[in-house]
Amino acid sequence: MKILITAGPTREAIDPVRYIGNRSSGKMGAALAQAGLRGGHTVSVIAGPIAVALPEGIERIDVESAAQMHAAVMQAFPAHDLLIMAAAVADYRPVRRSSEKLTRRGRILIECEATEDIVAAASAAKRGDQRTVGFSLESGRDLDRAVEKLGRKGLDMIVYNSTQAMDSATVEAVLLWPDGRQEPLPCRSKVDFADILLKRAGALFGKTAG
Ligand code: C5P
């Protein structure tokens, strides 16, 4: 399989110094890349700004903003079978970016617009022999939101996990499929979780796209 993985956060610039972004270590993306190589797959990673090391032997594309990640995914996805969208893409970006560092004032308003939904765009562009997998990180145990995202983003599988997984070496998750199947996965290391996720993703092939 040729696997495309996105990892880490994106940064949406307010000025040359400040940005809006999500907390994300990139550990899940790195674990998925390692699992992909262990499984004998070809792996490409599109990474936002992350400190965590990515394994040797992958093709790595570094990006900063959601717009850059969107462009990189749309360019790379046609040459891959599977997209696993593990990146914590910023949901909003400032409408205007100041070219100079803003001076500190008592109170400011930053007008924002939604970023492009990258995995939804990739799903809409997928051929019949391609699959997309996304994540749904929720504060509470809200599987309904994950089910809704699975449909709205045109995914073949989604991983529900809680915000406790952020920056952690472990993850507790539920895998969900468009046919209503659910598989709870009790807490384990992200490395072990990545092996299971790739096995389930591999099983998506040979079936009609969801
Ligand atoms: O809607 P929410 O951000 O919770 O959806 C999470 C899933 O959608 C993740 O797989 C994430 O990588 C992806 N996503 C995206 N583009 C965005 C926001 C999220 O591809 N702008």
Side-chain angles (χ1 to χ4, degrees), residues 9-13 19 47-49 62-69 97:
T10 66
R11 289 181 181 172
E12 313 305 321
Y19 59 84
D62 287 292
V63 297
E64 189 159 310
S65 66
Q68 288 168 358
M69 186 173 280
R97 176 200 172 139

Side-chain angles (χ1 to χ4, degrees), residues 8-208:
T10 66
R11 289 181 181 172
E12 313 305 321
I14 298 167
D15 68 18
V17 180
R18 289 84 164 213
Y19 59 84
I20 295 173
N22 287 345
R23 272 177 59 193
S24 170
S25 61
K27 283 177 189 163
M28 178 60 79
L32 286 165
Q34 281 159 2
L37 293 180
R38 270 198 303 279
H41 304 292
T42 302
V43 179
S44 309
V45 178
I46 298 175
I50 49 171
V52 72
L54 293 175
E56 299 282 319
I58 59 158
E59 190 190 334
R60 175 176 181 156
I61 302 162
D62 287 292
V63 297
E64 189 159 310
S65 66
Q68 288 168 358
M69 186 173 280
H70 178 240
V73 167
M74 296 315 278
Q75 195 184 337
F77 188 42
H80 294 80
D81 305 303
L82 172 68
L83 168 65
I84 305 180
M85 197 72 203
V89 184
D91 302 289
Y92 293 98
R93 75 173 138 242
V95 171
R96 282 171 296 277
R97 176 200 172 139
S98 169
S99 57
E100 287 171 19
K101 186 182 172 197
L102 298 171
T103 49
R104 195 151 79 96
R105 272 170 283 156
R107 182 181 290 204
I108 61 163
L109 279 177
I110 301 170
E111 192 186 349
C112 291
E113 62 188 7
T115 55
E116 38 288 281
D117 193 319
I118 300 168
V119 80
S123 295
K126 79 185 151 187
R127 304 181 307 257
D129 57 349
Q130 289 180 303
R131 301 290 183 267
T132 53
V133 173
F135 281 73
S136 181
L137 185 75
E138 310 296 342
S139 310
R141 199 181 163 81
D142 197 345
L143 292 180
D144 290 347
R145 283 175 68 119
V147 170
E148 187 271 324
K149 286 175 194 176
L150 181 67
R152 175 163 51 86
K153 294 173 187 260
L155 304 171
D156 299 286
M157 181 168 77
I158 196 162
V159 181
Y160 157 86
N161 59 358
S162 95
T163 46
Q164 280 157 358
M166 278 192 322
D167 207 31
S168 167
T170 60
V171 58
E172 183 187 342
V174 182
L175 305 183
L176 301 106
W177 289 266
D179 63 6
R181 268 183 307 136
Q182 296 186 0
E183 181 183 9
L185 296 172
C187 190
R188 70 193 75 217
S189 73
K190 285 185 177 174
V191 173
D192 289 348
F193 172 80
D195 280 328
I196 298 175
L197 182 58
L198 280 197
K199 222 175 277 169
R200 300 295 182 271
L204 294 170
F205 292 86
K207 292 182 188 164
T208 317

